[in-house]
Amino acid sequence: MSPFPPPALAWRACVDDGSRGSVHRSSVEDFEHLPYRAEFKDGATDLPELPEIGRALQSEAISGGLPEHTHGGAFEFVVVTRGRLSWWVEQEVLDLSAGQLLCTRPDERHGAVGSALEPSEIIWVQVRLDRPGAFGLSDEDRRSLIAGLNHALRTAPALPIHAHHLNSIMDAYERGIARPAFVRAHAICFLEASLDALTRREAEVPDPRIAHAMRIMRADREARLTLPEVASRVGLSESWLHVLFQRSTGLSPAAWLRETRMDEAKALLQHTNRPITQIAHDLGFSSSQYFASAFRRRTGHAPNAYRRSMRSGVGGVSEKKTG
């Protein structure tokens, strides 16, 4: 994640020790609203098998935030805890949502679609398993883990335990109390949990009431239904629908609907020649101008620039084309 620059927004506080670890964070009270970023790399972890770990929250899209890059010899894991991200790995485009885990393998080219980082909260870690003695593993266990990850899925549902282990490591580094044995223990637990998640071939089946609500909301293109009406149709109270939606998707019903329509918009821009005005109308936006504004906030790019980017090949909209 090294190419990921600090969000271009005002931060409440910033502490930077130079070449090692850096922390950019708001107070706990304002964490929900202000950008946050912390990372430890370039030897700051004091463990050669863990070259980088970090976490970040950003509230708006950043153009040019994650250009094409690789991690020599390192697996990288990303846990998305809020929002959604459109990334690519080699020739595969991935739409990641809250509650998902991503693994990129050593030396794989990857980055954000159009190099734009979208509003999100993520935790990431890079690990080198090619080094004998990494994390105190025996050579047999280390090779078995490498083989498993090389043949595993690229994405999977993340469990709370994934974020727990990475946050525990980050908390220790930020407080200056990280010890190698502590970091290695949490890293091993994270790696085992990640391998388990990425080798499961069956996704969790969503609550049928939430699946029903999703179908109703997708069909209601003109957004005539209110949330209480949707809840009534699926036999839930409004508050309980909100709770179950949050559990299933990591988003509120309104946020899920916005993200779903943006995903549809991206697919239509990439795979059809429909005019922007028609796409906006088909997806229930009040005007093409409102759609374009919402799309730029979500992706960091204007709709036409996104269409050109995806048709010219994975990876990139230049900043010249986003104005």
Side-chain angles (χ1 to χ4, degrees):
M1 291 291 296
S2 298
F4 180 12
L9 299 172
W11 290 346
R12 176 63 54 87
C14 174
V15 179
D16 194 335
D17 67 1
S19 62
R20 292 168 63 82
S22 63
V23 179
H24 306 260
R25 68 184 306 170
S26 64
S27 66
V28 174
E29 295 79 17
D30 291 328
F31 182 81
E32 294 290 328
H33 308 289
L34 292 180
Y36 164 91
R37 174 182 170 80
E39 62 180 351
F40 294 85
K41 61 181 182 179
D42 300 329
T45 66
D46 295 319
L47 290 175
E49 63 265 47
L50 198 150
E52 183 173 332
I53 185 170
R55 56 189 176 192
L57 166 68
Q58 59 188 58
S59 57
E60 62 182 38
I62 303 173
S63 181
L66 192 64
E68 177 182 328
H69 63 288
T70 62
H71 302 297
F75 288 93
E76 181 176 61
F77 299 87
V78 179
V79 178
V80 184
T81 54
R82 299 187 215 177
R84 297 170 77 92
L85 295 168
S86 296
W87 282 12
W88 62 272
V89 181
E90 294 296 340
Q91 296 302 312
E92 184 178 4
V93 176
L94 304 167
D95 282 318
L96 306 172
S97 59
Q100 283 192 283
L101 169 70
L102 166 70
C103 174
T104 58
R105 302 179 184 102
D107 303 302
E108 284 188 323
R109 297 180 306 114
H110 60 285
V113 172
S115 300
L117 281 169
E118 297 161 283
S120 59
E121 182 180 37
I122 60 173
I123 317 168
W124 70 91
V125 66
Q126 295 170 20
V127 297
R128 294 286 302 262
L129 296 172
D130 56 341
R131 299 168 180 261
F135 301 107
L137 295 169
S138 67
D139 284 347
E140 181 180 358
D141 287 343
R142 184 172 56 82
R143 293 189 186 110
S144 176
L145 186 56
I146 292 172
L149 291 172
N150 278 332
H151 291 90
L153 298 171
R154 196 176 297 289
T155 65
L159 300 175
I161 197 68
H162 292 115
H164 163 73
H165 287 302
L166 296 187
N167 278 322
S168 294
I169 295 173
M170 281 297 300
D171 289 344
Y173 278 123
E174 288 191 5
R175 295 167 60 191
I177 59 172
R179 298 291 179 268
F182 174 89
V183 173
R184 287 190 175 107
H186 276 285
I188 290 172
C189 289
F190 171 80
L191 289 169
E192 290 178 346
S194 297
L195 180 61
D196 181 60
L198 293 164
T199 52
R200 291 182 180 179
R201 301 288 164 173
E202 296 182 4
E204 294 182 16
V205 177
D207 186 307
R209 295 165 296 181
I210 299 305
H212 187 195
M214 289 175 172
R215 289 193 295 273
I216 292 172
M217 293 167 68
R218 279 197 184 102
D220 182 30
R221 289 298 191 192
E222 296 182 4
R224 292 177 177 174
L225 292 175
T226 64
L227 190 58
E229 288 172 330
V230 174
S232 177
R233 287 197 182 190
V234 299
L236 295 170
S237 68
E238 180 183 357
S239 60
W240 193 233
L241 175 65
H242 194 283
V243 168
L244 293 180
F245 230 100
Q246 194 80 31
R247 286 182 185 174
S248 297
T249 68
L251 299 168
S252 69
W256 174 85
L257 184 59
R258 286 195 301 271
E259 297 297 340
T260 297
R261 290 187 174 170
M262 283 297 150
D263 287 343
E264 291 182 52
K266 289 191 286 186
L268 290 171
L269 288 166
Q270 182 177 357
H271 300 297
T272 77
N273 292 318
R274 291 187 204 176
I276 303 302
T277 300
Q278 183 182 345
I279 290 175
H281 178 267
D282 291 346
L283 294 179
F285 288 89
S286 58
S287 70
S288 59
Q289 292 80 8
Y290 178 69
F291 165 68
S293 176
F295 192 88
R296 183 186 287 274
R297 284 197 305 271
R298 170 66 171 78
T299 68
H301 299 298
N304 276 325
Y306 181 86
R307 172 175 272 166
R308 289 195 298 269
S309 167
M310 297 308 297
R311 293 185 177 186
S312 64
V314 173
V317 169
S318 71
E319 292 191 26
K320 294 179 182 178
K321 296 182 181 180
T322 62

